[in-house]
Amino acid sequence: LLSVTALVAVANLGFAMEPTPAEPIEGEPDVTTNAYEPVATRIIIKYVENEGARVANEAAAISAAERLSAIAGANIKHVRVMSGNAQVVELTDIAGMERAQATESMSSIVERLQADPAIEYAEPDAFMQIQQAVNDPQFGQQWHYTATNTGVNLVDGWSNATGNGVAVAVIDTGYRPHTDLAGNLLLPGYDFISNTTVANDGGGRDADARDPGDWCPPIRPNSSWHGTHVAGTVAAVTNNSLGVAGVARGAKVVPIRVLGKCGGNLSDIADGMRWAAGLPVPGAPTNTNPAQVLNLSLGGGGACGPTYQNAINDIVAAGSTVVVAAGNSNANASGFRPANCNGVIPVAA
């Protein structure tokens, strides 16, 4: 089964749309790495077990932010309770700082919070980005499926499995309606983007996982529609005389939106991952289509932190498999998260 579901390259489903205009999010483009680096202003905090139970609801968490402010020596505002008994807080003083100063301040504050015996861990709510590649729109041009030595031997693989009965969560930018994909979508999915500017759809979290566009000038002046491309690679309807073929053509895709304008936050991605596997997430309904396979064609630099690792541990314990793009940087996957986390299958393109 995994041999036909664990692909994280993208397939072009053959359509184009105009980007949705929006104000750019606060940050700096890096044209040398094709990345967008917003200034981190939020921190993910998990308390030790006894303390965590005491501040598990919103009211108690808001009150606890006053204590955190005193420990950190900075103004801290509670943002939300997230999955895994963790919380997201915001440093209200950092937003106006220069990047170098903000980074240094964030590092010092996280270090002070980590030293508090009531806190199990604290880490910046990092910004992740899509891991994008380009493929041609017809099966005959999808060389990576069939090429000798470099392909995945897909046609022979189909004699063993096509993904029938399997749900695959595509944790990405969401989806666009498309005739070559519609029959294999398990809707409505869910939109976990909590930042309304990043969401780019006029709202926050909701049960509408459609992709309004993720354009990010000047790095990406047009939207990628990346989640739809990945969903097509996984489970485009096959043998229908249209478009492309899906690797796991008998599988169904659960679209989960965690990446929006320029990327998405670690906290939203972790919530989306847990929800994908059928685990509870505060404020979100129960997932009625829990996935056996989670596909994340996304990532960022750095070591795998506790937020990712805890989520992956819970998901694997629940019986799901996590497949992650190794990245498109021609570099060792050990330097990119979540590909470098324990318990995942990192896949090179």
Side-chain angles (χ1 to χ4, degrees), residues 38-58:
V39 175
T41 62
R42 293 184 176 184
I43 299 173
I44 300 170
I45 291 176
K46 183 179 180 182
Y47 291 97
V48 296
E49 186 172 352
N50 292 340
E51 184 71 8
R54 191 179 68 80
V55 296
N57 62 70
E58 292 288 344

Side-chain angles (χ1 to χ4, degrees), residues 13-35:
L13 291 179
F15 66 90
M17 300 181 187
E18 293 299 316
T20 304
E23 291 299 317
I25 63 173
E26 193 174 324
E28 296 178 3
D30 182 346
V31 295
T32 63
T33 62
N34 195 35

Side-chain angles (χ1 to χ4, degrees), residues 204-275:
R205 292 184 168 187
D206 55 47
D208 184 356
R210 286 177 297 178
D211 183 355
D214 66 340
W215 73 302
C216 190
I219 301 299
R220 193 167 61 249
N222 298 308
S223 292
S224 69
W225 316 113
H226 188 262
T228 305
H229 292 191
V230 174
T233 294
V234 173
V237 180
T238 305
N239 289 332
N240 63 344
S241 301
L242 178 69
V244 298
V247 177
R249 65 190 192 189
K252 301 296 184 182
V253 167
V254 182
I256 298 174
R257 186 168 183 250
V258 299
L259 302 177
K261 187 174 172 60
C262 306
N265 283 98
L266 170 60
S267 58
D268 290 337
I269 295 169
D271 279 354
M273 291 171 67
R274 280 197 174 87
W275 189 84

Side-chain angles (χ1 to χ4, degrees), residues 59-349:
I62 291 171
S63 177
E66 296 181 7
R67 177 176 174 274
L68 293 177
S69 296
I71 295 169
N75 292 321
I76 290 181
K77 175 186 175 183
H78 172 74
V79 176
R80 64 183 178 86
V81 173
M82 62 173 287
S83 62
N85 297 319
Q87 299 178 32
V88 182
V89 299
E90 183 155 21
L91 303 177
T92 58
D93 300 332
I94 279 186
M97 294 182 182
E98 295 293 330
R99 173 175 297 278
Q101 182 186 7
T103 301
E104 183 178 354
S105 180
M106 169 67 79
S107 178
S108 298
I109 290 169
V110 168
E111 188 174 335
R112 287 194 288 271
L113 292 173
Q114 285 275 34
D116 180 14
I119 293 176
E120 181 177 320
Y121 74 80
E123 68 172 323
D125 191 2
F127 207 68
M128 302 288 129
Q129 316 230 311
I130 61 174
Q131 298 289 332
Q132 188 171 16
V134 178
N135 296 317
D136 293 313
Q138 304 299 320
F139 178 69
Q141 297 169 315
Q142 291 175 294
W143 59 267
H144 51 284
Y145 287 178
T146 57
T148 303
N149 298 326
T150 57
V152 296
N153 200 20
L154 182 60
V155 175
D156 287 347
W158 281 337
S159 66
N160 295 309
T162 60
N164 287 334
V166 175
V168 179
V170 173
I171 301 170
D172 212 288
T173 67
Y175 76 96
R176 294 302 306 168
H178 195 281
T179 53
D180 201 23
L181 183 61
N184 282 344
L185 279 177
L186 286 173
L187 297 175
Y190 208 80
D191 179 353
F192 276 97
I193 301 177
S194 56
N195 183 309
T196 55
T197 302
V198 174
N200 206 22
D201 61 1
R205 292 184 168 187
D206 55 47
D208 184 356
R210 286 177 297 178
D211 183 355
D214 66 340
W215 73 302
C216 190
I219 301 299
R220 193 167 61 249
N222 298 308
S223 292
S224 69
W225 316 113
H226 188 262
T228 305
H229 292 191
V230 174
T233 294
V234 173
V237 180
T238 305
N239 289 332
N240 63 344
S241 301
L242 178 69
V244 298
V247 177
R249 65 190 192 189
K252 301 296 184 182
V253 167
V254 182
I256 298 174
R257 186 168 183 250
V258 299
L259 302 177
K261 187 174 172 60
C262 306
N265 283 98
L266 170 60
S267 58
D268 290 337
I269 295 169
D271 279 354
M273 291 171 67
R274 280 197 174 87
W275 189 84
L279 300 175
V281 176
T286 300
N287 179 8
T288 57
N289 297 302
Q292 291 96 322
V293 179
L294 279 62
N295 185 97
L296 292 100
S297 297
L298 56 82
C304 178
T307 300
Y308 264 142
Q309 193 61 66
N310 288 352
I312 292 164
N313 292 346
D314 291 346
I315 290 161
V316 172
S320 296
T321 299
V322 183
V323 182
V324 183
N328 295 313
S329 303
N330 193 29
N332 195 307
S334 64
F336 299 89
R337 54 179 168 170
N340 55 10
C341 295
N342 292 325
V344 307
I345 300 175
V347 180

